[in-house]
Each structure stands twice: as structure tokens, then as C-alpha cells.
Amino acid sequence: MAAPTFESEKVLVIFVLGGPGAGKGTQCERLVSQYGFVHLSAGDLLRAEQNRQGSQYGQLIADHIKEGKIVPQEITIALLRNAMDQAVASGGKTLAGHDVGPEHKDKWTGGKGRFLIDGFPRKMDQAVGFDETVCNSRFVLFLHCSEEVMLGRLLERGKTSGRADDNEESIKKRFRTFVETSMPVVDYYRKQDRVVEVDSQQDVAKVTEDIRKAMDQTFAKLGQAA
Ligand code: UDP
Ligand code: MG
């Protein structure tokens, strides 16, 4: 089999998983500046592709998102690979307009880079496909949250998010997909001792602090500079 697109010695990939509304996007945004990560949300990339003029996948993506189903892995993996390519080639800039900034440029030279990939992989085939063909991921940050809390957050977000899946009917379907399809991915990485778990039910700042501690410990264990 062909080698992955990115070498894991140069490109660090951390997957951020947790149920819908667990706080993945919020927490990733709060971590990028400290560590010089580029944050890629699989859901955001899919929504951007859905809205792109001329995309042949627009309707398919829209249907899957509304039903809380997982879009075929080829599409999501291609979007992630493109976004990673663009960030590595430009020294830490994204198409969405983010730049890791001058203090982190040393982590983004000579083909190097570091990514937080949020909301992916949420199905076994994606996990295996990405690790084998794009980049071998280092570890998973898993955010724990009860369905009750997640439901409350998503309904609140739904008042302003404009997202087609932040309504009670879609949320129930997303919870089901999470339990049946995405938790096996977390268990797969747990068996390999590659999951860092944090309780994300507390307030945002406390969760960020807990993640930072867990992240620093993990970096130390891996011999990776934070
Ligand atoms: N999605 C998908 N594959 C992925 C990630 C997301 O098909 O790898 C779709 C899926 O339908 C999911 C929706 O995008 O329910 C929204 O994902 P997002 O990560 O934005 O939701 P969150 O978990 O952050 O609430
Ligand atoms: Mg999200």
C-alpha cells in the first residue's frame, strides 16, 4: 500500500471527539493560539463544500447532515487532505483565513505542521482510511458530556446557529449515530491506549484548563515539544 500523504514525524494530528454539543469546536478554538495548531472541523469543511458553487456533493452532504448520518468517507477525507495540504504548504494558513502567527512558524516550516481535527473520525472506516492514507494520528482528545447537557447546549445554539441539524429531531438522530457508529471509534483508540479523556460538562474556561493539563502531560509522555 502507498505511504500516507503526510509523515507523522513531521505532521502531528490530534483528533478531537465527543458527542454533538460536547464542546469540540469551542475548545479547539481556545487551544490553537497556545500550541500553534491549525483547527479543522470536518463538519465545517462539509458545510463549506455543500455551499460551494458547482459542488457535485451539495445535496448529498445536506441530506446526510440533516439526518445525522455520516457522509461517505472519501468525500470527508479528500476535504481534510486538501485543507491540510494548503496549511502545510503555506506555513500555517488556512483557506478560512486563519494564520498560526509568527510565534509558531517554527512548527510550520519544511513540511511540518500540527492539526486539531474536530468531529472526525466518527466511523471506523474513516479512522482506518485516514491513518493509512493521510497521516497517522498521534492521539485522541475525547470530551465527555451527558446527552442531557448536550441537548440543552444544542437547542440553545440552534436559536442562532442557522444549522439545519440543531433541532430536536436531527439532534436525536445525531445522538444515535454517535452511540452506535462513533463510540466504537473511541473504543478502538482506547484499546491502543491513545485516548486522552476530559470531562466537558463544566464551564468553558475550566474545561480548557483541564484539556491544557492533559495535553501537556501527553506531550511530555510523547517527548513532543508543546
Ligand atoms: N459529518 C460527517 N462526517 C464527518 C463529520 C461530520 O458526515 O466526518 C456530518 C454528520 O452528518 C454530522 C454533521 O456533519 O452529524 C455535523 O457535524 P459537526 O461536527 O459539525 O457537528 P458537532 O458534532 O460539532 O455538533
Ligand atoms: Mg462542531
Side-chain angles (χ1 to χ4, degrees):
M1 172 174 301
T5 310
F6 302 95
E7 297 168 41
S8 55
E9 291 75 31
K10 285 189 167 178
V11 173
L12 170 71
V13 170
I14 299 170
F15 291 141
V16 183
L17 298 178
K24 302 180 292 293
T26 304
Q27 292 299 333
C28 285
E29 284 307 318
R30 295 171 63 93
L31 294 167
V32 288
S33 60
Q34 180 181 349
Y35 296 94
F37 290 125
V38 159
H39 167 213
L40 298 176
S41 154
D44 287 351
L45 290 171
L46 286 167
R47 281 182 285 273
E49 175 64 20
Q50 179 194 321
N51 294 328
R52 189 174 62 82
Q53 282 287 325
S55 169
Q56 52 177 319
Y57 300 121
Q59 194 57 48
L60 179 146
I61 293 171
D63 294 343
H64 278 73
I65 287 182
K66 190 149 178 294
E67 291 302 309
K69 290 193 188 138
I70 311 298
V71 172
Q73 59 146 340
E74 294 76 13
I75 299 174
T76 314
I77 288 181
L79 292 172
L80 284 167
R81 184 191 273 114
N82 284 345
M84 288 172 69
D85 249 332
Q86 136 78 38
V88 169
S90 66
K93 292 198 185 95
T94 67
L95 289 173
H98 178 75
D99 184 348
V100 292
E103 72 275 28
H104 294 299
K105 285 293 171 193
D106 58 317
K107 302 174 182 100
W108 286 90
T109 52
K112 286 190 290 180
R114 40 170 61 188
F115 293 93
L116 287 180
I117 297 190
D118 138 26
F120 177 96
R122 48 224 280 171
K123 192 172 177 181
M124 267 318 293
D125 66 339
Q126 291 181 326
V128 175
F130 184 95
D131 277 347
E132 282 179 358
T133 69
V134 182
C135 187
N136 209 325
S137 58
R138 205 70 56 87
F139 63 91
V140 173
L141 174 65
F142 180 65
L143 303 183
H144 265 287
C145 199
S146 70
E147 281 196 4
E148 195 189 341
V149 171
M150 295 193 291
L151 177 64
R153 290 177 181 174
L154 291 173
L155 290 176
E156 190 56 37
R157 183 173 81 182
K159 290 178 188 166
T160 53
S161 70
R163 272 179 56 161
D165 59 350
D166 281 346
N167 57 77
E168 192 134 7
E169 203 187 325
S170 291
I171 292 168
K172 294 260 153 74
K173 291 177 180 167
R174 290 157 70 194
F175 283 167
R176 203 163 159 177
T177 300
F178 174 66
V179 172
E180 291 175 356
T181 311
S182 305
M183 275 315 289
V185 175
V186 178
D187 290 332
Y188 164 78
Y189 287 115
R190 273 190 186 132
K191 285 197 190 100
Q192 302 176 16
D193 202 19
R194 283 163 72 189
V195 182
V196 175
E197 316 214 7
V198 172
D199 173 9
S200 65
Q201 301 198 101
Q202 293 149 288
D203 69 65
V204 175
K206 170 77 171 103
V207 176
T208 308
E209 195 189 313
D210 289 350
I211 294 175
R212 285 205 176 112
K213 278 188 203 143
M215 193 89 104
D216 289 342
Q217 272 173 16
T218 309
F219 275 143
K221 208 168 81 187
L222 294 170
Q224 174 92 36

